[in-house]
Amino acid sequence: MEGRRITSKPSPTTYALALGLILMGLALTAVCLWAWFQGVEPRWSVVLFGLLGLYTAALGVDEGWLSGLEVTPTTLRVRSFGRWSEYTLKGLDAADGLRDILGGGWQVVLLGQGREAIRVPLRRYANAQQLAQALLDALWMQNKDLVVMPRLAHRFGRPPFGLLTRKRS
C-alpha cells in the first residue's frame, strides 16, 4: 500500500465548465476589441475588461487541462497552470470542507498548528469522492487523532476508507 497513489480524472462537467469560461473570456475580449476600434472612452476601461476576458479564458484552460491532484500516503501534489506544488501531510491536525466558488465543486481545507491552511480544490473531477477519501486516509495515517469537521464527514465520511490504508472492521 506504500506505493499507492490516487490521481484526479477530469469529468465531462470539468470540460464543459472550462469551455464555458474560455468562450466567455474570448467573447468579453472580442467585445472590448470592438469597443476599442469604435473609440469608446475611457480607453483604460476597455483595456481593463479586455485583460479580464483574457484572464477568464486562461482560467478556463487551467480548469480543463492544466490542473490536477495526486494523493499518496505521505504527500499531496496539486497542479495549477501546469506547475506542481507538493505538500507533506505530516503535522496536519484537522480537515474541513467548503464549496468552491469556481464551478460549485468542493474544496478540502487542511489545517495544522503553525502551518498555513492548504486548500485542495476537488473541482468537478470524475473521482472527487475517491480523491477526498484518499486524502483523508493519508491524513489519518499521519495522525490517528485527525479531526474531520462535520460538514466534511457528512459529505465524504470518516477515515479509514481502505483506499490508501487497511479499512477498519
Side-chain angles (χ1 to χ4, degrees), residues 8 10 61-69 79-82 123 125:
S8 59
V61 170
D62 177 54
E63 181 71 20
W65 293 274
L66 300 178
S67 64
L69 293 175
R79 186 174 67 182
S80 182
F81 286 101
R123 292 191 170 90
Y125 294 126

Side-chain angles (χ1 to χ4, degrees), residues 32 35-36 39-49:
C32 289
W36 177 272
V40 171
E41 292 291 333
R43 294 276 186 167
W44 63 266
S45 66
V46 174
V47 171
L48 184 66
F49 281 107

